[in-house]
């Protein structure tokens, strides 16, 4: 990791201009993802997060699938903007797919019926934490990423293409690569309106 934790979180932004020309090895990406999956917390230590990393042809195939899926839904006269956005993701080096193991969630619901309604919520919260840890980890390695949600539109084709277990629910897609453009200035609401302290 080339920067500290605070800096990685501060610099983590949504990068829409990315390229395949990264100076980071696939092994380093693997290290970031596996660290996140191993060390990010989950309710009852359930460890229901599942992650798939696509690079090379597999990464390009994902965005081909997404493009063809959306062509069937978005009116032709409105598709150009969508096409450009999808091409910007495909221009990247890879995509991290975030899933949750619904079988694991269901098992917890059965084991702890008093909390049954909470487990799907906690599962989503844990997934969000996994996404942030991976995102900040990629940022720390000099990579730009963004978080996308083309699920459930692409779920079945993604599962079929990469033989993903049926009980894995797709939550989000994170295309990443070398930043080719910088995000705009970020505005912050007053921190005193968002955080309170009591003794």
């Amino acid at each position: 990791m080339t920067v500290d934790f605070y800096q990685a979180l501060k610099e983590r932004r949504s990068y829409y201009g990315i390229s395949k020309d990264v100076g980071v090895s696939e092994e380093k990406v693997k290290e970031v993802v596996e660290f996140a999956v191993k060390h990010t917390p989950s309710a009852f230590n359930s460890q229901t997060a599942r992650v798939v990393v696509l690079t090379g042809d597999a990464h390009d195939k994902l965005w081909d699938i997404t493009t063809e899926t959306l062509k069937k839904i978005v009116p032709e006269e409105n598709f150009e903007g969508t096409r450009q956005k999808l091409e910007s993701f495909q221009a990247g080096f890879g995509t991290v797919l975030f899933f949750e193991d619904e079988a694991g969630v269901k098992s917890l619901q059965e084991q702890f019926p008093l909390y049954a309604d909470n487990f799907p919520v906690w599962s989503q919260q844990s997934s969000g934490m996994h996404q942030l840890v991976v995102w900040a980890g990629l940022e720390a390695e000099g990579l730009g990423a963004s978080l996308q949600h083309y699920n459930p539109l692409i779920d079945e084709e993604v599962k079929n293409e990469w033989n993903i277990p049926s009980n894995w629910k797709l939550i989000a897609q994170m295309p990443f690569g070398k930043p080719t453009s910088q995000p705009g200035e970020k505005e912050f609401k007053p921190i005193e309106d968002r955080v309170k302290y009591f003794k």
Side-chain angles (χ1 to χ4, degrees):
M1 190 175 285
T2 56
V3 298
D4 69 24
F5 179 67
Y6 279 6
Q7 186 179 348
L9 288 177
K10 181 180 177 182
E11 300 299 324
R12 181 229 49 83
R13 299 290 306 280
S14 292
Y15 286 88
Y16 296 103
I18 52 176
S19 79
K20 299 182 189 305
D21 180 29
V22 297
V24 177
S25 69
E26 290 195 36
E27 280 303 309
K28 181 56 73 172
V29 172
K30 181 180 177 183
E31 179 185 316
V32 167
V33 170
E34 291 184 1
F35 180 91
V37 172
K38 184 174 182 179
H39 295 290
T40 301
S42 58
F44 286 55
N45 196 30
S46 54
Q47 301 179 48
T48 53
R50 303 291 182 266
V51 175
V52 172
V53 181
L54 305 175
T55 58
D57 292 342
H59 162 76
D60 289 341
K61 178 68 174 178
L62 172 72
W63 296 106
D64 286 341
I65 287 171
T66 307
T67 299
E68 291 306 312
T69 300
L70 291 179
K71 268 185 183 176
K72 300 171 187 173
I73 299 168
V74 179
E76 187 176 345
E77 61 273 16
N78 299 333
F79 190 70
E80 182 58 25
T82 298
R83 183 185 63 75
Q84 290 177 10
K85 192 173 186 182
L86 296 174
E87 285 179 354
S88 75
F89 303 144
Q90 191 172 45
F93 180 76
T95 303
V96 182
L97 301 179
F98 295 90
F99 296 83
E100 280 289 305
D101 180 2
E102 291 191 300
V105 175
K106 185 177 180 183
S107 175
L108 286 165
Q109 289 177 303
E110 292 168 352
Q111 289 177 62
F112 305 99
L114 185 63
Y115 303 113
D117 291 345
N118 296 97
F119 283 113
V121 177
W122 292 336
S123 166
Q124 290 285 330
Q125 291 171 346
S126 179
S127 181
M129 287 189 279
H130 281 81
Q131 293 159 32
L132 178 60
V133 173
V134 171
W135 203 344
L138 294 174
E139 171 65 39
E141 298 301 333
L143 298 171
S146 66
L147 193 65
Q148 305 303 318
H149 300 90
Y150 290 101
N151 43 292
L153 297 173
I154 61 173
D155 292 24
E156 287 309 309
E157 198 161 352
V158 165
K159 286 181 179 181
N160 291 336
E161 180 67 29
W162 290 288
N163 198 27
I164 305 295
S166 61
N167 50 291
W168 290 20
K169 180 179 180 181
L170 183 59
I171 306 295
Q173 307 86 52
M174 185 178 288
F176 65 92
K178 177 184 177 182
T180 58
S181 62
Q182 295 299 310
E185 193 68 28
K186 187 172 184 177
E187 294 184 3
F188 295 93
K189 294 181 179 179
I191 198 70
E192 59 270 21
D193 294 344
R194 302 170 66 194
V195 181
K196 296 192 181 298
Y197 298 93
F198 301 94
K199 288 188 178 181

